[in-house]
């Protein structure tokens, strides 16, 4: 539900009616054009951040699936070599790694949420910039700028909140890394096998 | 038939026509065809004979005979061909067949030719008839008749066009008989004549004569001349009408090849023959011949070269198999292994073209495959042996290429595995490392024994790694090589986990990920290696690489975590390693903080805070929090800045950044008008770094603020400043002016401060507590100390005035006693002393205290006059009384005049200098001067906390610290509460931001007036009016201020300029005494 709301919000922000024609933009002073281009660039950067986070999620999920397959191969190898006693400890080690990956995915998902808000902020800022330029050229009253800037401020506040949440999740993920490494060490200690789940399969 | 039936029938007919198979032609019988042709000739013979019979006496009769002879000759040919074909069909390919019919016909032809020559001796074609007759003799094997006929032709017809042909035939006949000199003579007879169509043939024949005479050089010269002669026909053509067609240039080229090895043993044949060849087929034919000749002469290398050319021209001709065999023979015999790959390739191609050739039966094909596989394998293997002997990488490369080619053609050979292995080894020895890596992978795939597999994998990994290290690989090759290292490495690890090479292999695998840019994965593996083999030499390298990979992955968090784990691992590395790792981690963390700080990301503050939270208490946490603080300030998030600043000071009380933080906090506090807080932060900044470059300045600023605010704690600041040797004169003046005299007393009592100001205040306080002696002493010292800047001068002037006041007190203390004369004398002495003392103040140059001194002297003279008037003389006799009264009256009058004069002078000077003190006011308004002069008349009601309404203004100031409107509003609020100290600081700040704002100066005037600094208030009002003459409020305030001190004319002038007297509203920017203007106006 929250995600849906977010999408609606982002979508709503995108539907700005501040459509300056290219001709209008071309007629603007250099500084104004630069400001608008900067705003547009910010939107692109925000989108790139979201894309990067999404790509990261895909890569992590792929790695997670791959890990399952590697575990299957390891189990098969253990069975062939009559080393069944290694199966359970390895499952634990792999499970710890899966948890780490899962935490990483959560971090990336948080980054996506954060990026979504970032896009909304960038768009709102662009709208505000355009509105200011409209006011400068007499196509809008100066009083209307306030509304846009209020929206930017409100979104920025929300952005900070999502960023804070993202960082908290990231910190938690780093703790899971420790757990994973400990699980690997335990497996190696118990079986003398330093290779399964790391170097082979 | 109905139309429908007709159509159907037509369709059937058409369908039938279209669908039926074409009728097969019966196989052609060549004999039948020849017989048929013979019959046609028979018919022609009959017709010709009939024509001859009908043409007796005709001119063309000899032509008809010639035709008849030719027809007989033609018919004889068919007769011979029929016999030949019959023999041929029986399997006899010999051309020496007996054809009686043919012989008969040829004899008939000879007879006809003879008749023509005899019956028509003038017939122009007689020479031709003789030539053809000679030819028929030749055909019949009647060589003597033939020779005599040709010789007769040459003799009878020396200009006949057939004479060269005759020579040629005669030469050939001599040649055939082995009479080479005779043959040579005939050919030379032709060559001696002008060039003709038979010359090339004569040369060709002569060439062969030379060959037979073992004159190869001469033969080659002849053949070369034919080939270089442009008139030589290049197509198959009959040069002698009675002989078969011949391609003379081709024959010459091919036959030249015969002698080539003898004439040009060192010269490569292909370019030479190619230059002479007219067509590729001629060239190849010549190369074939020359190859044979080389082989015969055991010149294998050139033979190989020639055969390569022959095979390169076509591997699918009938002779290719044999040529390939020859090629192999020559290679082996000559050990010609310079191009083994190409040779294997050509052998493979020859085989390949027959591998699926159904014209060959399977058995033959299989045998060919077996034979050619051996050839190819033998060549490649010999090439490797040769490379091993010479130890030359280039030869190894050739051998490897040969093996590669071999495997392309004979992939199903039983020797495939062996060859694959050989190839890999050859590639490795050739230094083709990348290819060798791949080849060993192939060996691994086909090897059956575990040892062979393992060795192949190890070799593959080593080859790939060396290839990568050597460089020069394309991007895709690098990727492939790294993938190979990983695949092979995994297999070795899985099968031989205890192998001594495993550490190196693992390192290589990790490196392959590293080099592929998969830093996260490579870091995991490097770290895994370091953990597993902590004492191996590779462990520390691996540890470093793990951190480096994480750094490149931009995973500084991970770097710190892994780094710490490595440091904590007791088995891993020595103390030096751990130190290095710790250093890397620290630097990485610092870098992370720096990067987070400088990044343009919107969440940098949050990230820094998150980091600070995670590393709370550590140096990194401290740095992160500090940078977060800086970011908050840069972002203008002052609330956050305060919050973080406080958190920093709380969490890191001993941080060396405390002074920076507190200093920054102070600046921000100052910006938002929170001066008490600013002073606190400044003191904290000083305490955090008392020896810092800016420490003293910070303390001075703190003290300055506190002095203005009347804060008692300023004493501590000043004492510290004194102990650091700082000048505190101005500060002490400000403290006194703010009414904070106890703090000043504290400073003076416990601090070794000296100078005019300190002496003055010590005298002042001594006077306050009634210690006149000490007061006089200190004030006198202060009065005579003219140093110390403005504050010192001010103190000296004040001291001089106070000394006057002490004298004034002494003057007042003289009361009339019983001895009137003594009393008068004492009074006179005191007034003299007093005058002397006040004159000091008058001469001080400070108008305030000069006027006060004059005013006080005037008052003293006035009092002296009263004293003299009120003296009770009743104790004197009447006579004495009258005389004394007269004297006293004179003195009284003089005193009154003196008083009046001084007051007049005071008023005049006050008006002239516009001095705004009580003394000046008294003089100007002619009012009595006050009994006690308030030296420090601050009306500051002290600090009462923030006035109502201040919070939102402060909030606004947080957003925009340079908002003059906000600062001014806040100042007005403080003025309203009587906190002139804060108000003045705020207004000074507003003026710092914009010194040309009239309203600010006006407000400053109000604040200064309220602080008891009327002179400065006047200057502020004047400045406000100067900056904005239309500022009616400032002008009226100026007017009120003037009026308040009695400068009514000036005040009225200002009122007039302001446009009238307003009603006071009690506005903070209004002069508190504005109502005085109403009185003034009413008075008028």
């Amino acid at each position: 539900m929250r995600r849906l709301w977010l999408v609606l919000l982002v979508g709503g922000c995108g539907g700005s009616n501040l459509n300056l024609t290219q001709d209008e933009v071309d007629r603007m002073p250099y500084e104004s054009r630069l400001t608008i281009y900067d705003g547009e660039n910010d939107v692109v950067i925000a989108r790139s951040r979201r894309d990067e986070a999404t790509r990261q999620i895909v890569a992590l999920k792929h790695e997670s699936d791959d890990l399952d397959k590697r575990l299957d191969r390891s189990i098969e190898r253990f069975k062939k070599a009559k080393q069944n006693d290694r199966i359970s400890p390895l499952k634990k080690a792999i499970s710890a790694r899966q948890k780490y990956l899962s935490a990483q995915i959560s971090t990336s998902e948080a980054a996506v949420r954060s990026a979504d808000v970032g896009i909304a902020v960038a768009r709102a800022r662009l709208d505000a910039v355009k509105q200011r330029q409209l006011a400068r050229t007499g196509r809008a009253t100066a009083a209307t700028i306030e509304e846009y800037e209020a929206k930017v401020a409100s979104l920025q506040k929300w952005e900070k909140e999502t960023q804070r949440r993202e960082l908290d999740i990231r910190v938690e993920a780093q703790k899971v890394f420790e757990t994973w490494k400990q699980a690997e060490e335990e497996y190696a200690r118990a079986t003398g096998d330093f290779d399964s789940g790391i170097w082979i399969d | 038939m109905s139309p429908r039936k007709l159509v159907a029938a037509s369709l059937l007919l058409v369908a039938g026509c279209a669908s039926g198979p074409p009728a097969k032609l019966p196989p052609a019988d060549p004999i039948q065809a020849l017989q048929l042709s013979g019959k046609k000739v028979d018919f022609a013979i009959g017709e010709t004979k009939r024509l001859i019979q009908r043409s007796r006496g005709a001119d063309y009769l000899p032509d008809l005979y010639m035709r008849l002879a030719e027809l007989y000759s033609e018919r004889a040919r068919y007769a011979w061909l029929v016999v030949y074909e019959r023999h041929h069909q029986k399997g006899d390919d010999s051309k020496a067949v007996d054809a009686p019919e043919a012989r008969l016909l040829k004899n008939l032809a000879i007879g006809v030719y003879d008749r023509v020559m005899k019956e028509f001796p003038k017939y122009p074609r007689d020479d031709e008839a003789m030539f053809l007759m000679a030819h028929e003799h030749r055909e019949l094997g009647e060589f003597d008749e033939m020779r005599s006929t040709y010789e007769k032709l040459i003799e009878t017809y020396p200009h006949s066009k057939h004479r060269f042909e005759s020579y040629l035939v005669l030469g050939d006949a001599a040649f055939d008989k082995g009479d080479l000199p005779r043959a040579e003579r005939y050919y030379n007879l032709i060559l001696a004549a002008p060039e003709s169509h038979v010359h090339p043939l004569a040369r060709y024949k002569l060439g062969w004569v030379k060959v037979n005479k073992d004159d190869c050089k001469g033969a080659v010269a002849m053949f070369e001349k034919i080939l270089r002669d442009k008139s030589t026909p290049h197509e198959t053509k009959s040069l002698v009408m009675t002989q078969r067609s011949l391609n003379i240039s081709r024959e010459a080229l091919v036959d030249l090849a015969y002698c080539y090895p003898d004439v040009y043993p060192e010269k490569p044949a292909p370019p030479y023959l190619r230059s002479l060849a007219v067509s590729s087929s001629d060239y190849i034919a010549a190369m074939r011949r020359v190859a044979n000749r080389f082989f015969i002469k055991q010149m294998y290398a050139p033979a190989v070269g020639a055969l390569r050319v022959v095979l390169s021209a076509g591997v699918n001709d009938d002779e290719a198999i044999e040529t390939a065999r020859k090629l192999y023979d020559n290679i082996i015999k000559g050990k010609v292994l310079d191009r083994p790959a190409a040779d294997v390739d050509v052998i493979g191609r020859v085989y390949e073209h027959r591998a699926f050739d159904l014209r060959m039966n399977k058995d033959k094909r299989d045998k060919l495959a077996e034979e050619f596989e051996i050839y190819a394998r033998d060549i490649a293997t010999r090439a490797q042996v040769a490379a091993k002997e010479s130890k030359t990488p280039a030869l190894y490369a050739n051998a490897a290429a040969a093996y590669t080619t071999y495997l392309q053609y004979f992939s199903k050979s039983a020797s495939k595995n062996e060859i694959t292995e050989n190839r890999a080894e050859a590639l490795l020895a050739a230094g083709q490392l990348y290819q060798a890596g791949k080849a060993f992978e192939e060996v691994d795939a086909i090897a059956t024994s575990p040892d062979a597999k393992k060795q192949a994998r190890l070799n593959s990994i080593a080859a790939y790694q060396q290839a990568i290290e050597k460089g020069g690989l394309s991007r895709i090759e690098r990727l492939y090589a790294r993938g190979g290292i990983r695949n092979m490495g995994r297999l070795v690890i899985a099968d031989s986990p205890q192998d001594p090479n495993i550490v190196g292999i693992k390192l290589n695998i990790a490196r392959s990920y590293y080099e592929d840019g998969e830093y996260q994965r490579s870091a995991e593996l490097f770290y895994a290696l370091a953990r597993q083999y902590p004492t191996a030499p590779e462990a520390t390298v691996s540890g470093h690489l793990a951190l480096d990979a994480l750094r490149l992955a931009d995973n500084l968090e991970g770097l710190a975590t892994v780094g710490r784990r490595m440091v904590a691992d007791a088995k891993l590395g020595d103390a030096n390693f751990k130190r290095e790792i710790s250093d890397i981690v620290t630097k990485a963390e610092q870098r992370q903080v720096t990067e987070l700080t400088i990044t343009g990301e919107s969440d940098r503050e949050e990230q820094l805070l998150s980091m600070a939270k995670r590393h709370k208490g550590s140096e990194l946490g401290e740095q992160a929090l500090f940078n977060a603080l800086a970011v908050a300030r840069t972002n203008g998030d002052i609330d956050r800045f305060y919050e973080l600043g406080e958190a920093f000071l709380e969490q890191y009380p001993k941080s060396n950044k405390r002074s920076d933080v507190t200093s920054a906090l102070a600046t921000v506090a100052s910006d938002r008008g929170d001066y008490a807080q600013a002073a606190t932060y400044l003191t904290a900044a000083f305490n955090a770094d008392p020896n810092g470059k800016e420490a003293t300045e910070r303390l001075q600023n703190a003290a300055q603020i506190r002095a203005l605010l009347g804060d008692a704690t300023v004493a501590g600041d000043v004492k510290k400043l004194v102990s650091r040797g700082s000048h505190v004169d101005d500060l002490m003046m400000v403290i006194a002016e703010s009414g904070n005299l106890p703090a000043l007393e504290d400073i003076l009592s416990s601090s070794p401060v000296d100078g005019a100001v300190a002496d003055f205040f010590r005298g002042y306080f001594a006077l306050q507590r009634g210690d006149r002696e000490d007061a006089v002493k200190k004030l006198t010292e202060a009065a005579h100390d003219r140093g110390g800047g403005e504050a010192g001068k001010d103190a000296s002037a004040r001291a001089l005035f106070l000394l006057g006041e002490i004298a004034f007190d002494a003057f007042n203390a003289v009361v009339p006693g019983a001895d009137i004369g003594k009393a008068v004398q004492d009074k006179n002495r005191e007034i003299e002393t007093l005058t002397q003392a006040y004159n000091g103040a008058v001469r001080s140059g400070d108008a305030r205290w000069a006027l006060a001194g004059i005013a006080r002297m005037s008052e003293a003279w006035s009092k002296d006059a009263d004293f003299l008037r009120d003296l009770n003389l009743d104790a004197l006799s009447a006579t004495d009384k009258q005389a004394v009264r007269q004297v006293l009256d004179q003195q009284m009058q003089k005193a009154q005049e003196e008083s009046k004069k001084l007051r007049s002078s005071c008023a005049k000077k006050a008006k002239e200098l516009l001095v705004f003190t009580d003394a000046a006011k008294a003089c100007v308004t002619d009012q009595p001067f006050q009994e006690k002069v308030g030296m420090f008349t601050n009306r500051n009601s002290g600090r009462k906390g923030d006035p109502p309404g201040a919070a939102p203004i402060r909030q606004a100031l947080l957003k925009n610290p340079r908002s003059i409107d906000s600062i001014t509003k806040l100042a007005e609020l403080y003025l309203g509460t009587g906190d002139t100290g804060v108000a003045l600081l705020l207004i000074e700040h507003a003026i710092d931001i914009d010194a040309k704002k009239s309203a600010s100066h006006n407000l400053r005037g109000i604040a200064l007036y309220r602080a008891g600094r009327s002179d400065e208030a006047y200057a502020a009002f004047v400045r406000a009016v100067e900056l904005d003459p239309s500022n009616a409020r400032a002008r009226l305030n100026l007017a009120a201020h003037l009026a308040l001190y009695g400068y009514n004319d000036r005040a009225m002038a200002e009122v007039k300029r302001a446009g009238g007297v307003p009603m006071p509203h009690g506005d903070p920017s209004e002069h508190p005494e504005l109502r005085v203007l109403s009185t003034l106006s009413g008075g008028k």
Side-chain angles (χ1 to χ4, degrees), chain A residues 163 174 178 184-185 195, chain B residues 506 531 561 565 603 606:
Chain A
Q163 283 167 350
Q174 201 58 30
E178 285 284 350
E184 274 186 356
E185 283 165 4
D195 301 328
Chain B
K506 286 183 175 176
R531 272 190 308 173
T561 308
R565 285 181 69 83
D603 64 342
E606 298 306 321

Side-chain angles (χ1 to χ4, degrees), chain B residues 342-421:
Chain B
D343 296 333
V344 170
D345 181 57
V346 81
I347 288 170
R349 279 165 59 205
V350 171
Y351 158 68
E352 195 178 48
H353 270 85
R354 276 106 193 139
F356 304 101
D357 188 350
L358 297 176
R359 289 173 298 182
M360 284 176 89
N361 62 46
K362 187 175 182 305
D363 188 41
K364 208 170 173 183
R365 287 203 305 266
D366 289 347
K367 278 184 182 167
L368 191 69
E370 198 178 322
E371 181 192 353
F372 275 45
E373 186 273 329
I374 291 168
Y375 292 164
R377 178 153 48 90
D378 194 27
I379 292 170
T381 312
R382 280 171 192 268
Q384 190 180 15
V385 171
K388 272 182 187 167
E389 283 167 4
S390 70
K391 293 177 182 168
T392 313
L395 292 188
Y396 274 115
N398 287 347
Y403 284 130
T404 306
T405 312
Y406 169 89
L407 290 168
Q408 283 168 1
Y409 289 107
F410 305 102
S411 58
K412 290 175 184 170
S413 151
S415 306
K416 183 192 170 186
N417 291 7
E418 190 191 343
I419 297 299
T420 306
E421 202 170 335

Side-chain angles (χ1 to χ4, degrees), chain B residues 259-279:
Chain B
C259 276
Y260 188 87
D262 297 307
V263 180
Y264 302 118
E266 303 299 326
K267 189 172 174 181
Y272 174 76
L273 293 175
R274 197 185 300 121
S275 71
L276 295 174
V278 173
S279 68

Side-chain angles (χ1 to χ4, degrees), chain B residues 449-522:
Chain B
S449 80
D451 283 347
K453 276 186 171 294
K454 184 178 163 186
Q455 196 52 50
R457 288 165 187 168
L458 291 174
N459 286 345
S460 178
I461 293 168
Y464 278 138
Q465 192 59 45
Q466 284 177 42
I468 292 166
E469 282 167 9
K470 192 177 163 192
L473 297 183
S474 68
R475 186 176 161 76
I476 191 75
E477 283 172 341
R478 283 200 302 275
L479 284 171
Y480 194 93
R482 290 177 199 133
I485 288 171
R486 291 195 283 268
N487 291 340
M488 292 290 103
R490 282 194 199 103
L491 293 170
V492 175
I493 293 166
D495 289 349
S496 319
Q498 303 306 323
D499 189 280
N501 294 309
I502 284 294
V503 182
I505 289 169
K506 286 183 175 176
L507 190 62
N508 280 339
I509 291 175
R511 275 177 65 183
S512 75
Y513 281 110
Y514 180 89
E515 284 159 3
D516 268 353
E518 291 188 47
Y519 298 118
Q520 194 64 41
R521 177 88 180 115
S522 72

Side-chain angles (χ1 to χ4, degrees), chain A residues 49 70 97 159 163-164 167-168 171 174 177-178 180-181 184-185 194-195 198-200, chain B residues 490 493 506 521 524-525 531-532 557 561-562 565 601-603 606-607 610 613-614 640:
Chain A
R49 283 189 61 190
R70 287 173 68 183
R97 188 169 184 180
E159 185 188 25
Q163 283 167 350
R164 203 169 292 143
L167 288 168
D168 288 344
V171 173
Q174 201 58 30
F177 175 81
E178 285 284 350
W180 164 35
K181 287 292 148 191
E184 274 186 356
E185 283 165 4
F194 285 86
D195 301 328
I198 300 173
W199 296 100
I200 51 181
Chain B
R490 282 194 199 103
I493 293 166
K506 286 183 175 176
R521 177 88 180 115
E524 282 170 21
L525 295 179
R531 272 190 308 173
Q532 187 181 353
E557 294 283 349
T561 308
V562 171
R565 285 181 69 83
E601 299 292 331
S602 60
D603 64 342
E606 298 306 321
Q607 289 204 44
S610 172
K613 194 171 155 188
R614 271 176 282 151
R640 189 91 168 134

Side-chain angles (χ1 to χ4, degrees), chain A residues 11-23:
Chain A
C13 290
S16 164
N17 56 1
L18 291 169
N19 291 323
L20 292 170
T21 65
Q22 190 56 47
D23 183 52

